[in-house]
PDB file of all heavy atoms in Angstrom:
ATOM      1  N   ILE Z 183      -0.685   6.458 -10.421  1.00  0.00           N
ATOM      2  CA  ILE Z 183      -1.798   6.052  -9.568  1.00  0.00           C
ATOM      3  C   ILE Z 183      -1.620   6.674  -8.196  1.00  0.00           C
ATOM      4  O   ILE Z 183      -0.535   6.591  -7.603  1.00  0.00           O
ATOM      5  CB  ILE Z 183      -1.878   4.513  -9.437  1.00  0.00           C
ATOM      6  CG1 ILE Z 183      -2.092   3.868 -10.806  1.00  0.00           C
ATOM      7  CG2 ILE Z 183      -3.001   4.115  -8.478  1.00  0.00           C
ATOM      8  CD1 ILE Z 183      -2.051   2.350 -10.779  1.00  0.00           C
ATOM      9  N   GLY Z 184      -2.658   7.306  -7.672  1.00  0.00           N
ATOM     10  CA  GLY Z 184      -2.622   7.902  -6.341  1.00  0.00           C
ATOM     11  C   GLY Z 184      -3.480   7.094  -5.384  1.00  0.00           C
ATOM     12  O   GLY Z 184      -4.590   6.679  -5.726  1.00  0.00           O
ATOM     13  N   LEU Z 185      -2.970   6.866  -4.188  1.00  0.00           N
ATOM     14  CA  LEU Z 185      -3.670   6.096  -3.158  1.00  0.00           C
ATOM     15  C   LEU Z 185      -4.245   7.058  -2.124  1.00  0.00           C
ATOM     16  O   LEU Z 185      -3.521   7.886  -1.574  1.00  0.00           O
ATOM     17  CB  LEU Z 185      -2.696   5.126  -2.469  1.00  0.00           C
ATOM     18  CG  LEU Z 185      -1.823   4.272  -3.393  1.00  0.00           C
ATOM     19  CD1 LEU Z 185      -0.831   3.457  -2.562  1.00  0.00           C
ATOM     20  CD2 LEU Z 185      -2.680   3.382  -4.262  1.00  0.00           C
ATOM     21  N   ALA Z 186      -5.549   6.945  -1.853  1.00  0.00           N
ATOM     22  CA  ALA Z 186      -6.193   7.903  -0.950  1.00  0.00           C
ATOM     23  C   ALA Z 186      -7.077   7.186   0.064  1.00  0.00           C
ATOM     24  O   ALA Z 186      -7.861   6.306  -0.309  1.00  0.00           O
ATOM     25  CB  ALA Z 186      -7.027   8.906  -1.742  1.00  0.00           C
ATOM     26  N   SER Z 187      -6.968   7.576   1.323  1.00  0.00           N
ATOM     27  CA  SER Z 187      -7.810   7.012   2.374  1.00  0.00           C
ATOM     28  C   SER Z 187      -9.028   7.894   2.635  1.00  0.00           C
ATOM     29  O   SER Z 187      -9.718   7.738   3.634  1.00  0.00           O
ATOM     30  CB  SER Z 187      -7.008   6.831   3.666  1.00  0.00           C
ATOM     31  OG  SER Z 187      -6.443   8.060   4.091  1.00  0.00           O
ATOM     32  N   ARG Z 188      -9.282   8.830   1.731  1.00  0.00           N
ATOM     33  CA  ARG Z 188     -10.502   9.639   1.734  1.00  0.00           C
ATOM     34  C   ARG Z 188     -10.777  10.034   0.298  1.00  0.00           C
ATOM     35  O   ARG Z 188      -9.928   9.894  -0.582  1.00  0.00           O
ATOM     36  CB  ARG Z 188     -10.338  10.903   2.580  1.00  0.00           C
ATOM     37  CG  ARG Z 188      -9.214  11.807   2.117  1.00  0.00           C
ATOM     38  CD  ARG Z 188      -9.318  13.202   2.671  1.00  0.00           C
ATOM     39  NE  ARG Z 188      -8.148  14.012   2.367  1.00  0.00           N
ATOM     40  CZ  ARG Z 188      -7.908  14.603   1.206  1.00  0.00           C
ATOM     41  NH1 ARG Z 188      -8.775  14.463   0.208  1.00  0.00           N
ATOM     42  NH2 ARG Z 188      -6.829  15.326   1.013  1.00  0.00           N
ATOM     43  N   ARG Z 189     -11.979  10.548   0.067  1.00  0.00           N
ATOM     44  CA  ARG Z 189     -12.315  10.982  -1.290  1.00  0.00           C
ATOM     45  C   ARG Z 189     -11.616  12.302  -1.598  1.00  0.00           C
ATOM     46  O   ARG Z 189     -11.376  13.124  -0.700  1.00  0.00           O
ATOM     47  CB  ARG Z 189     -13.830  11.129  -1.444  1.00  0.00           C
ATOM     48  CG  ARG Z 189     -14.258  11.165  -2.899  1.00  0.00           C
ATOM     49  CD  ARG Z 189     -15.751  11.258  -3.097  1.00  0.00           C
ATOM     50  NE  ARG Z 189     -16.085  10.977  -4.483  1.00  0.00           N
ATOM     51  CZ  ARG Z 189     -17.202  11.358  -5.066  1.00  0.00           C
ATOM     52  NH1 ARG Z 189     -18.119  12.045  -4.384  1.00  0.00           N
ATOM     53  NH2 ARG Z 189     -17.440  11.072  -6.334  1.00  0.00           N
ATOM     54  N   ILE Z 190     -11.289  12.479  -2.855  1.00  0.00           N
ATOM     55  CA  ILE Z 190     -10.634  13.714  -3.274  1.00  0.00           C
ATOM     56  C   ILE Z 190     -11.514  14.914  -2.946  1.00  0.00           C
ATOM     57  O   ILE Z 190     -12.741  14.863  -3.078  1.00  0.00           O
ATOM     58  CB  ILE Z 190     -10.317  13.662  -4.793  1.00  0.00           C
ATOM     59  CG1 ILE Z 190      -9.405  14.824  -5.181  1.00  0.00           C
ATOM     60  CG2 ILE Z 190     -11.590  13.620  -5.624  1.00  0.00           C
ATOM     61  CD1 ILE Z 190      -8.858  14.702  -6.591  1.00  0.00           C
ATOM     62  N   MET Z 191     -10.905  16.005  -2.485  1.00  0.00           N
ATOM     63  CA  MET Z 191     -11.647  17.215  -2.165  1.00  0.00           C
ATOM     64  C   MET Z 191     -11.886  18.035  -3.436  1.00  0.00           C
ATOM     65  O   MET Z 191     -11.109  17.951  -4.395  1.00  0.00           O
ATOM     66  CB  MET Z 191     -10.874  18.045  -1.148  1.00  0.00           C
ATOM     67  CG  MET Z 191     -10.735  17.367   0.206  1.00  0.00           C
ATOM     68  SD  MET Z 191      -9.821  18.404   1.384  1.00  0.00           S
ATOM     69  CE  MET Z 191      -9.891  17.383   2.849  1.00  0.00           C
ATOM     70  N   PRO Z 192     -12.960  18.824  -3.456  1.00  0.00           N
ATOM     71  CA  PRO Z 192     -13.269  19.621  -4.653  1.00  0.00           C
ATOM     72  C   PRO Z 192     -12.094  20.482  -5.133  1.00  0.00           C
ATOM     73  O   PRO Z 192     -11.843  20.558  -6.344  1.00  0.00           O
ATOM     74  CB  PRO Z 192     -14.448  20.484  -4.203  1.00  0.00           C
ATOM     75  CG  PRO Z 192     -15.133  19.654  -3.155  1.00  0.00           C
ATOM     76  CD  PRO Z 192     -14.026  18.956  -2.435  1.00  0.00           C
ATOM     77  N   ALA Z 193     -11.383  21.116  -4.184  1.00  0.00           N
ATOM     78  CA  ALA Z 193     -10.260  21.969  -4.584  1.00  0.00           C
ATOM     79  C   ALA Z 193      -9.159  21.156  -5.251  1.00  0.00           C
ATOM     80  O   ALA Z 193      -8.530  21.609  -6.225  1.00  0.00           O
ATOM     81  CB  ALA Z 193      -9.707  22.706  -3.359  1.00  0.00           C
ATOM     82  N   GLU Z 194      -8.910  19.960  -4.748  1.00  0.00           N
ATOM     83  CA  GLU Z 194      -7.895  19.086  -5.342  1.00  0.00           C
ATOM     84  C   GLU Z 194      -8.325  18.635  -6.734  1.00  0.00           C
ATOM     85  O   GLU Z 194      -7.515  18.587  -7.662  1.00  0.00           O
ATOM     86  CB  GLU Z 194      -7.651  17.879  -4.439  1.00  0.00           C
ATOM     87  CG  GLU Z 194      -7.040  18.241  -3.091  1.00  0.00           C
ATOM     88  CD  GLU Z 194      -7.112  17.118  -2.071  1.00  0.00           C
ATOM     89  OE1 GLU Z 194      -8.064  16.305  -2.143  1.00  0.00           O
ATOM     90  OE2 GLU Z 194      -6.230  17.038  -1.189  1.00  0.00           O
ATOM     91  N   ALA Z 195      -9.609  18.288  -6.866  1.00  0.00           N
ATOM     92  CA  ALA Z 195     -10.124  17.845  -8.162  1.00  0.00           C
ATOM     93  C   ALA Z 195     -10.052  18.972  -9.193  1.00  0.00           C
ATOM     94  O   ALA Z 195      -9.699  18.740 -10.361  1.00  0.00           O
ATOM     95  CB  ALA Z 195     -11.554  17.345  -8.005  1.00  0.00           C
ATOM     96  N   ARG Z 196     -10.392  20.198  -8.766  1.00  0.00           N
ATOM     97  CA  ARG Z 196     -10.341  21.338  -9.697  1.00  0.00           C
ATOM     98  C   ARG Z 196      -8.913  21.620 -10.141  1.00  0.00           C
ATOM     99  O   ARG Z 196      -8.663  21.915 -11.324  1.00  0.00           O
ATOM    100  CB  ARG Z 196     -10.951  22.574  -9.026  1.00  0.00           C
ATOM    101  CG  ARG Z 196     -12.486  22.547  -8.950  1.00  0.00           C
ATOM    102  CD  ARG Z 196     -13.032  23.907  -8.587  1.00  0.00           C
ATOM    103  NE  ARG Z 196     -12.659  24.291  -7.241  1.00  0.00           N
ATOM    104  CZ  ARG Z 196     -13.402  24.051  -6.151  1.00  0.00           C
ATOM    105  NH1 ARG Z 196     -14.554  23.415  -6.280  1.00  0.00           N
ATOM    106  NH2 ARG Z 196     -13.007  24.441  -4.957  1.00  0.00           N
ATOM    107  N   ARG Z 197      -7.982  21.533  -9.195  1.00  0.00           N
ATOM    108  CA  ARG Z 197      -6.573  21.812  -9.521  1.00  0.00           C
ATOM    109  C   ARG Z 197      -6.046  20.796 -10.537  1.00  0.00           C
ATOM    110  O   ARG Z 197      -5.359  21.158 -11.497  1.00  0.00           O
ATOM    111  CB  ARG Z 197      -5.731  21.781  -8.241  1.00  0.00           C
ATOM    112  CG  ARG Z 197      -4.280  22.204  -8.436  1.00  0.00           C
ATOM    113  CD  ARG Z 197      -3.636  22.514  -7.106  1.00  0.00           C
ATOM    114  NE  ARG Z 197      -3.480  21.314  -6.307  1.00  0.00           N
ATOM    115  CZ  ARG Z 197      -2.324  20.672  -6.138  1.00  0.00           C
ATOM    116  NH1 ARG Z 197      -1.233  21.133  -6.720  1.00  0.00           N
ATOM    117  NH2 ARG Z 197      -2.243  19.612  -5.378  1.00  0.00           N
ATOM    118  N   LEU Z 198      -6.392  19.527 -10.330  1.00  0.00           N
ATOM    119  CA  LEU Z 198      -5.940  18.507 -11.274  1.00  0.00           C
ATOM    120  C   LEU Z 198      -6.625  18.661 -12.632  1.00  0.00           C
ATOM    121  O   LEU Z 198      -5.990  18.498 -13.685  1.00  0.00           O
ATOM    122  CB  LEU Z 198      -6.215  17.121 -10.688  1.00  0.00           C
ATOM    123  CG  LEU Z 198      -5.168  16.628  -9.685  1.00  0.00           C
ATOM    124  CD1 LEU Z 198      -5.710  15.507  -8.812  1.00  0.00           C
ATOM    125  CD2 LEU Z 198      -3.913  16.167 -10.422  1.00  0.00           C
ATOM    126  N   LYS Z 199      -7.909  19.004 -12.617  1.00  0.00           N
ATOM    127  CA  LYS Z 199      -8.620  19.176 -13.884  1.00  0.00           C
ATOM    128  C   LYS Z 199      -8.012  20.324 -14.694  1.00  0.00           C
ATOM    129  O   LYS Z 199      -7.866  20.225 -15.916  1.00  0.00           O
ATOM    130  CB  LYS Z 199     -10.100  19.449 -13.617  1.00  0.00           C
ATOM    131  CG  LYS Z 199     -10.932  19.524 -14.899  1.00  0.00           C
ATOM    132  CD  LYS Z 199     -12.417  19.668 -14.593  1.00  0.00           C
ATOM    133  CE  LYS Z 199     -13.229  19.681 -15.880  1.00  0.00           C
ATOM    134  NZ  LYS Z 199     -14.692  19.784 -15.618  1.00  0.00           N
ATOM    135  N   SER Z 200      -7.637  21.398 -13.998  1.00  0.00           N
ATOM    136  CA  SER Z 200      -7.045  22.547 -14.692  1.00  0.00           C
ATOM    137  C   SER Z 200      -5.695  22.211 -15.306  1.00  0.00           C
ATOM    138  O   SER Z 200      -5.232  22.889 -16.221  1.00  0.00           O
ATOM    139  CB  SER Z 200      -6.907  23.733 -13.731  1.00  0.00           C
ATOM    140  OG  SER Z 200      -5.951  23.446 -12.712  1.00  0.00           O
ATOM    141  N   SER Z 201      -5.045  21.145 -14.795  1.00  0.00           N
ATOM    142  CA  SER Z 201      -3.746  20.741 -15.338  1.00  0.00           C
ATOM    143  C   SER Z 201      -3.895  19.758 -16.500  1.00  0.00           C
ATOM    144  O   SER Z 201      -2.896  19.289 -17.042  1.00  0.00           O
ATOM    145  CB  SER Z 201      -2.895  20.089 -14.237  1.00  0.00           C
ATOM    146  OG  SER Z 201      -3.378  18.794 -13.931  1.00  0.00           O
ATOM    147  N   GLY Z 202      -5.168  19.431 -16.838  1.00  0.00           N
ATOM    148  CA  GLY Z 202      -5.407  18.516 -17.941  1.00  0.00           C
ATOM    149  C   GLY Z 202      -5.623  17.083 -17.527  1.00  0.00           C
ATOM    150  O   GLY Z 202      -5.667  16.178 -18.381  1.00  0.00           O
ATOM    151  N   ALA Z 203      -5.787  16.837 -16.230  1.00  0.00           N
ATOM    152  CA  ALA Z 203      -5.909  15.464 -15.723  1.00  0.00           C
ATOM    153  C   ALA Z 203      -7.289  14.876 -15.936  1.00  0.00           C
ATOM    154  O   ALA Z 203      -7.477  13.673 -15.741  1.00  0.00           O
ATOM    155  CB  ALA Z 203      -5.555  15.431 -14.238  1.00  0.00           C
ATOM    156  N   GLY Z 204      -8.269  15.694 -16.300  1.00  0.00           N
ATOM    157  CA  GLY Z 204      -9.619  15.194 -16.516  1.00  0.00           C
ATOM    158  C   GLY Z 204     -10.481  15.295 -15.267  1.00  0.00           C
ATOM    159  O   GLY Z 204     -10.113  15.928 -14.270  1.00  0.00           O
ATOM    160  N   ASN Z 205     -11.632  14.652 -15.323  1.00  0.00           N
ATOM    161  CA  ASN Z 205     -12.585  14.676 -14.208  1.00  0.00           C
ATOM    162  C   ASN Z 205     -12.198  13.596 -13.200  1.00  0.00           C
ATOM    163  O   ASN Z 205     -12.448  12.406 -13.428  1.00  0.00           O
ATOM    164  CB  ASN Z 205     -13.998  14.443 -14.738  1.00  0.00           C
ATOM    165  CG  ASN Z 205     -15.036  14.491 -13.637  1.00  0.00           C
ATOM    166  OD1 ASN Z 205     -14.721  14.731 -12.466  1.00  0.00           O
ATOM    167  ND2 ASN Z 205     -16.287  14.266 -13.994  1.00  0.00           N
ATOM    168  N   MET Z 206     -11.654  13.980 -12.059  1.00  0.00           N
ATOM    169  CA  MET Z 206     -11.101  13.023 -11.105  1.00  0.00           C
ATOM    170  C   MET Z 206     -12.161  12.202 -10.391  1.00  0.00           C
ATOM    171  O   MET Z 206     -11.838  11.199  -9.752  1.00  0.00           O
ATOM    172  CB  MET Z 206     -10.233  13.749 -10.071  1.00  0.00           C
ATOM    173  CG  MET Z 206      -9.027  14.465 -10.668  1.00  0.00           C
ATOM    174  SD  MET Z 206      -7.921  13.370 -11.599  1.00  0.00           S
ATOM    175  CE  MET Z 206      -7.305  12.307 -10.292  1.00  0.00           C
ATOM    176  N   VAL Z 207     -13.437  12.597 -10.452  1.00  0.00           N
ATOM    177  CA  VAL Z 207     -14.487  11.812  -9.806  1.00  0.00           C
ATOM    178  C   VAL Z 207     -15.263  10.981 -10.823  1.00  0.00           C
ATOM    179  O   VAL Z 207     -16.272  10.358 -10.494  1.00  0.00           O
ATOM    180  CB  VAL Z 207     -15.457  12.710  -8.999  1.00  0.00           C
ATOM    181  CG1 VAL Z 207     -14.711  13.370  -7.843  1.00  0.00           C
ATOM    182  CG2 VAL Z 207     -16.116  13.759  -9.892  1.00  0.00           C
ATOM    183  N   ASN Z 208     -14.792  10.946 -12.059  1.00  0.00           N
ATOM    184  CA  ASN Z 208     -15.370  10.059 -13.054  1.00  0.00           C
ATOM    185  C   ASN Z 208     -14.984   8.619 -12.706  1.00  0.00           C
ATOM    186  O   ASN Z 208     -13.867   8.366 -12.251  1.00  0.00           O
ATOM    187  CB  ASN Z 208     -14.825  10.426 -14.437  1.00  0.00           C
ATOM    188  CG  ASN Z 208     -15.502   9.639 -15.550  1.00  0.00           C
ATOM    189  OD1 ASN Z 208     -15.270   8.446 -15.720  1.00  0.00           O
ATOM    190  ND2 ASN Z 208     -16.337  10.322 -16.317  1.00  0.00           N
ATOM    191  N   PRO Z 209     -15.911   7.649 -12.884  1.00  0.00           N
ATOM    192  CA  PRO Z 209     -15.591   6.255 -12.540  1.00  0.00           C
ATOM    193  C   PRO Z 209     -14.337   5.711 -13.222  1.00  0.00           C
ATOM    194  O   PRO Z 209     -13.730   4.761 -12.726  1.00  0.00           O
ATOM    195  CB  PRO Z 209     -16.846   5.489 -12.992  1.00  0.00           C
ATOM    196  CG  PRO Z 209     -17.945   6.503 -12.912  1.00  0.00           C
ATOM    197  CD  PRO Z 209     -17.317   7.798 -13.300  1.00  0.00           C
ATOM    198  N   SER Z 210     -13.942   6.309 -14.347  1.00  0.00           N
ATOM    199  CA  SER Z 210     -12.736   5.851 -15.037  1.00  0.00           C
ATOM    200  C   SER Z 210     -11.466   6.374 -14.381  1.00  0.00           C
ATOM    201  O   SER Z 210     -10.355   5.949 -14.724  1.00  0.00           O
ATOM    202  CB  SER Z 210     -12.763   6.286 -16.504  1.00  0.00           C
ATOM    203  OG  SER Z 210     -12.705   7.701 -16.609  1.00  0.00           O
ATOM    204  N   GLN Z 211     -11.619   7.302 -13.421  1.00  0.00           N
ATOM    205  CA  GLN Z 211     -10.459   7.870 -12.742  1.00  0.00           C
ATOM    206  C   GLN Z 211     -10.528   7.740 -11.224  1.00  0.00           C
ATOM    207  O   GLN Z 211      -9.531   7.968 -10.533  1.00  0.00           O
ATOM    208  CB  GLN Z 211     -10.300   9.354 -13.114  1.00  0.00           C
ATOM    209  CG  GLN Z 211      -9.963   9.571 -14.576  1.00  0.00           C
ATOM    210  CD  GLN Z 211      -9.780  11.031 -14.933  1.00  0.00           C
ATOM    211  OE1 GLN Z 211     -10.453  11.560 -15.812  1.00  0.00           O
ATOM    212  NE2 GLN Z 211      -8.872  11.709 -14.256  1.00  0.00           N
ATOM    213  N   GLU Z 212     -11.677   7.389 -10.701  1.00  0.00           N
ATOM    214  CA  GLU Z 212     -11.857   7.226  -9.261  1.00  0.00           C
ATOM    215  C   GLU Z 212     -12.416   5.832  -8.998  1.00  0.00           C
ATOM    216  O   GLU Z 212     -13.498   5.495  -9.456  1.00  0.00           O
ATOM    217  CB  GLU Z 212     -12.817   8.286  -8.718  1.00  0.00           C
ATOM    218  CG  GLU Z 212     -13.113   8.144  -7.228  1.00  0.00           C
ATOM    219  CD  GLU Z 212     -14.202   9.094  -6.764  1.00  0.00           C
ATOM    220  OE1 GLU Z 212     -15.342   8.970  -7.260  1.00  0.00           O
ATOM    221  OE2 GLU Z 212     -13.916   9.962  -5.930  1.00  0.00           O
ATOM    222  N   ARG Z 213     -11.660   5.019  -8.262  1.00  0.00           N
ATOM    223  CA  ARG Z 213     -12.068   3.635  -7.986  1.00  0.00           C
ATOM    224  C   ARG Z 213     -12.011   3.362  -6.494  1.00  0.00           C
ATOM    225  O   ARG Z 213     -11.016   3.681  -5.840  1.00  0.00           O
ATOM    226  CB  ARG Z 213     -11.159   2.652  -8.722  1.00  0.00           C
ATOM    227  CG  ARG Z 213     -11.266   2.711 -10.242  1.00  0.00           C
ATOM    228  CD  ARG Z 213     -10.140   1.938 -10.895  1.00  0.00           C
ATOM    229  NE  ARG Z 213     -10.289   1.871 -12.348  1.00  0.00           N
ATOM    230  CZ  ARG Z 213      -9.916   2.838 -13.183  1.00  0.00           C
ATOM    231  NH1 ARG Z 213      -9.378   3.954 -12.700  1.00  0.00           N
ATOM    232  NH2 ARG Z 213     -10.065   2.696 -14.488  1.00  0.00           N
ATOM    233  N   VAL Z 214     -13.061   2.749  -5.961  1.00  0.00           N
ATOM    234  CA  VAL Z 214     -13.049   2.304  -4.572  1.00  0.00           C
ATOM    235  C   VAL Z 214     -12.469   0.893  -4.570  1.00  0.00           C
ATOM    236  O   VAL Z 214     -13.053  -0.031  -5.141  1.00  0.00           O
ATOM    237  CB  VAL Z 214     -14.473   2.301  -3.966  1.00  0.00           C
ATOM    238  CG1 VAL Z 214     -14.433   1.782  -2.536  1.00  0.00           C
ATOM    239  CG2 VAL Z 214     -15.073   3.702  -4.016  1.00  0.00           C
ATOM    240  N   VAL Z 215     -11.314   0.730  -3.932  1.00  0.00           N
ATOM    241  CA  VAL Z 215     -10.643  -0.567  -3.943  1.00  0.00           C
ATOM    242  C   VAL Z 215     -11.010  -1.415  -2.734  1.00  0.00           C
ATOM    243  O   VAL Z 215     -10.911  -2.647  -2.761  1.00  0.00           O
ATOM    244  CB  VAL Z 215      -9.114  -0.367  -4.029  1.00  0.00           C
ATOM    245  CG1 VAL Z 215      -8.566   0.246  -2.745  1.00  0.00           C
ATOM    246  CG2 VAL Z 215      -8.405  -1.672  -4.338  1.00  0.00           C
ATOM    247  N   ALA Z 216     -11.452  -0.779  -1.652  1.00  0.00           N
ATOM    248  CA  ALA Z 216     -11.813  -1.505  -0.430  1.00  0.00           C
ATOM    249  C   ALA Z 216     -12.543  -0.556   0.494  1.00  0.00           C
ATOM    250  O   ALA Z 216     -12.586   0.662   0.268  1.00  0.00           O
ATOM    251  CB  ALA Z 216     -10.570  -2.060   0.262  1.00  0.00           C
ATOM    252  N   VAL Z 217     -13.154  -1.115   1.534  1.00  0.00           N
ATOM    253  CA  VAL Z 217     -13.680  -0.301   2.628  1.00  0.00           C
ATOM    254  C   VAL Z 217     -12.839  -0.600   3.858  1.00  0.00           C
ATOM    255  O   VAL Z 217     -12.186  -1.639   3.953  1.00  0.00           O
ATOM    256  CB  VAL Z 217     -15.173  -0.583   2.903  1.00  0.00           C
ATOM    257  CG1 VAL Z 217     -16.021  -0.048   1.785  1.00  0.00           C
ATOM    258  CG2 VAL Z 217     -15.423  -2.070   3.090  1.00  0.00           C
ATOM    259  N   ASP Z 218     -12.842   0.311   4.779  1.00  0.00           N
ATOM    260  CA  ASP Z 218     -11.955   0.195   5.927  1.00  0.00           C
ATOM    261  C   ASP Z 218     -12.655   0.737   7.168  1.00  0.00           C
ATOM    262  O   ASP Z 218     -13.382   1.721   7.092  1.00  0.00           O
ATOM    263  CB  ASP Z 218     -10.669   0.986   5.657  1.00  0.00           C
ATOM    264  CG  ASP Z 218      -9.616   0.808   6.735  1.00  0.00           C
ATOM    265  OD1 ASP Z 218      -9.577  -0.284   7.345  1.00  0.00           O
ATOM    266  OD2 ASP Z 218      -8.830   1.736   6.962  1.00  0.00           O
ATOM    267  N   SER Z 219     -12.429   0.082   8.288  1.00  0.00           N
ATOM    268  CA  SER Z 219     -12.899   0.610   9.567  1.00  0.00           C
ATOM    269  C   SER Z 219     -11.702   1.201  10.302  1.00  0.00           C
ATOM    270  O   SER Z 219     -10.666   0.536  10.434  1.00  0.00           O
ATOM    271  CB  SER Z 219     -13.513  -0.499  10.425  1.00  0.00           C
ATOM    272  OG  SER Z 219     -14.710  -0.959   9.880  1.00  0.00           O
ATOM    273  N   LEU Z 220     -11.829   2.424  10.729  1.00  0.00           N
ATOM    274  CA  LEU Z 220     -10.804   3.001  11.586  1.00  0.00           C
ATOM    275  C   LEU Z 220     -11.104   2.489  12.993  1.00  0.00           C
ATOM    276  O   LEU Z 220     -12.072   2.903  13.619  1.00  0.00           O
ATOM    277  CB  LEU Z 220     -10.863   4.528  11.533  1.00  0.00           C
ATOM    278  CG  LEU Z 220      -9.622   5.270  12.028  1.00  0.00           C
ATOM    279  CD1 LEU Z 220      -8.409   4.894  11.191  1.00  0.00           C
ATOM    280  CD2 LEU Z 220      -9.841   6.768  11.977  1.00  0.00           C
ATOM    281  N   VAL Z 221     -10.300   1.558  13.469  1.00  0.00           N
ATOM    282  CA  VAL Z 221     -10.589   0.855  14.716  1.00  0.00           C
ATOM    283  C   VAL Z 221      -9.942   1.569  15.895  1.00  0.00           C
ATOM    284  O   VAL Z 221      -8.747   1.872  15.875  1.00  0.00           O
ATOM    285  CB  VAL Z 221     -10.073  -0.600  14.638  1.00  0.00           C
ATOM    286  CG1 VAL Z 221     -10.410  -1.354  15.919  1.00  0.00           C
ATOM    287  CG2 VAL Z 221     -10.669  -1.311  13.435  1.00  0.00           C
ATOM    288  N   VAL Z 222     -10.729   1.838  16.923  1.00  0.00           N
ATOM    289  CA  VAL Z 222     -10.202   2.426  18.155  1.00  0.00           C
ATOM    290  C   VAL Z 222      -9.587   1.285  18.966  1.00  0.00           C
ATOM    291  O   VAL Z 222     -10.235   0.256  19.216  1.00  0.00           O
ATOM    292  CB  VAL Z 222     -11.309   3.123  18.960  1.00  0.00           C
ATOM    293  CG1 VAL Z 222     -10.748   3.689  20.267  1.00  0.00           C
ATOM    294  CG2 VAL Z 222     -11.940   4.237  18.132  1.00  0.00           C
ATOM    295  N   ILE Z 223      -8.336   1.437  19.360  1.00  0.00           N
ATOM    296  CA  ILE Z 223      -7.608   0.356  20.032  1.00  0.00           C
ATOM    297  C   ILE Z 223      -7.056   0.799  21.377  1.00  0.00           C
ATOM    298  O   ILE Z 223      -6.778   1.982  21.604  1.00  0.00           O
ATOM    299  CB  ILE Z 223      -6.456  -0.171  19.163  1.00  0.00           C
ATOM    300  CG1 ILE Z 223      -5.486   0.973  18.786  1.00  0.00           C
ATOM    301  CG2 ILE Z 223      -6.988  -0.863  17.910  1.00  0.00           C
ATOM    302  CD1 ILE Z 223      -4.223   0.514  18.082  1.00  0.00           C
ATOM    303  N   THR Z 224      -6.904  -0.186  22.267  1.00  0.00           N
ATOM    304  CA  THR Z 224      -6.267   0.030  23.566  1.00  0.00           C
ATOM    305  C   THR Z 224      -5.247  -1.083  23.794  1.00  0.00           C
ATOM    306  O   THR Z 224      -5.136  -2.019  22.998  1.00  0.00           O
ATOM    307  CB  THR Z 224      -7.280   0.022  24.715  1.00  0.00           C
ATOM    308  OG1 THR Z 224      -7.906  -1.280  24.768  1.00  0.00           O
ATOM    309  CG2 THR Z 224      -8.344   1.085  24.526  1.00  0.00           C
ATOM    310  N   HIS Z 225      -4.547  -0.990  24.896  1.00  0.00           N
ATOM    311  CA  HIS Z 225      -3.601  -2.033  25.270  1.00  0.00           C
ATOM    312  C   HIS Z 225      -4.356  -3.348  25.489  1.00  0.00           C
ATOM    313  O   HIS Z 225      -5.479  -3.334  26.012  1.00  0.00           O
ATOM    314  CB  HIS Z 225      -2.865  -1.626  26.558  1.00  0.00           C
ATOM    315  CG  HIS Z 225      -1.711  -2.504  26.899  1.00  0.00           C
ATOM    316  ND1 HIS Z 225      -1.857  -3.678  27.610  1.00  0.00           N
ATOM    317  CD2 HIS Z 225      -0.388  -2.385  26.616  1.00  0.00           C
ATOM    318  CE1 HIS Z 225      -0.671  -4.242  27.768  1.00  0.00           C
ATOM    319  NE2 HIS Z 225       0.237  -3.490  27.166  1.00  0.00           N
ATOM    320  N   PRO Z 226      -3.781  -4.496  25.096  1.00  0.00           N
ATOM    321  CA  PRO Z 226      -4.487  -5.781  25.217  1.00  0.00           C
ATOM    322  C   PRO Z 226      -4.971  -6.110  26.622  1.00  0.00           C
ATOM    323  O   PRO Z 226      -5.956  -6.837  26.787  1.00  0.00           O
ATOM    324  CB  PRO Z 226      -3.444  -6.799  24.743  1.00  0.00           C
ATOM    325  CG  PRO Z 226      -2.514  -6.019  23.877  1.00  0.00           C
ATOM    326  CD  PRO Z 226      -2.465  -4.643  24.454  1.00  0.00           C
ATOM    327  N   GLU Z 227      -4.312  -5.589  27.654  1.00  0.00           N
ATOM    328  CA  GLU Z 227      -4.685  -5.904  29.030  1.00  0.00           C
ATOM    329  C   GLU Z 227      -5.678  -4.913  29.630  1.00  0.00           C
ATOM    330  O   GLU Z 227      -6.089  -5.059  30.782  1.00  0.00           O
ATOM    331  CB  GLU Z 227      -3.431  -5.989  29.903  1.00  0.00           C
ATOM    332  CG  GLU Z 227      -2.482  -7.117  29.482  1.00  0.00           C
ATOM    333  CD  GLU Z 227      -1.246  -7.190  30.353  1.00  0.00           C
ATOM    334  OE1 GLU Z 227      -1.137  -6.394  31.321  1.00  0.00           O
ATOM    335  OE2 GLU Z 227      -0.375  -8.033  30.074  1.00  0.00           O
ATOM    336  N   ASN Z 228      -6.088  -3.923  28.864  1.00  0.00           N
ATOM    337  CA  ASN Z 228      -7.085  -2.967  29.350  1.00  0.00           C
ATOM    338  C   ASN Z 228      -8.445  -3.663  29.393  1.00  0.00           C
ATOM    339  O   ASN Z 228      -8.912  -4.178  28.377  1.00  0.00           O
ATOM    340  CB  ASN Z 228      -7.133  -1.754  28.418  1.00  0.00           C
ATOM    341  CG  ASN Z 228      -7.951  -0.603  28.987  1.00  0.00           C
ATOM    342  OD1 ASN Z 228      -8.923  -0.810  29.699  1.00  0.00           O
ATOM    343  ND2 ASN Z 228      -7.540   0.615  28.660  1.00  0.00           N
TER     344      ASN Z 228
END
């Protein structure tokens, strides 16, 4: 299982498919487990 904070890129998907891994963007191989906000943060006293 691979953990990714972005969607697989086409070049990565093609490389894995050529190795026999299948279609990496098929719902049986690509699952969204959560959504996330990249939060901009500062010091608490700012």
Side-chain angles (χ1 to χ4, degrees):
I183 299 175
L185 311 175
S187 57
R188 59 163 172 79
R189 197 178 193 201
I190 191 170
M191 294 181 178
E194 295 166 330
R196 284 193 294 268
R197 186 164 68 103
L198 278 161
K199 185 175 182 178
S200 67
S201 73
N205 181 2
M206 298 302 294
V207 295
N208 186 287
S210 65
Q211 294 181 237
E212 177 187 62
R213 294 168 175 82
V214 178
V215 69
V217 289
D218 186 31
S219 291
L220 198 61
V221 182
V222 178
I223 57 172
T224 62
H225 190 275
E227 297 180 2
N228 191 327

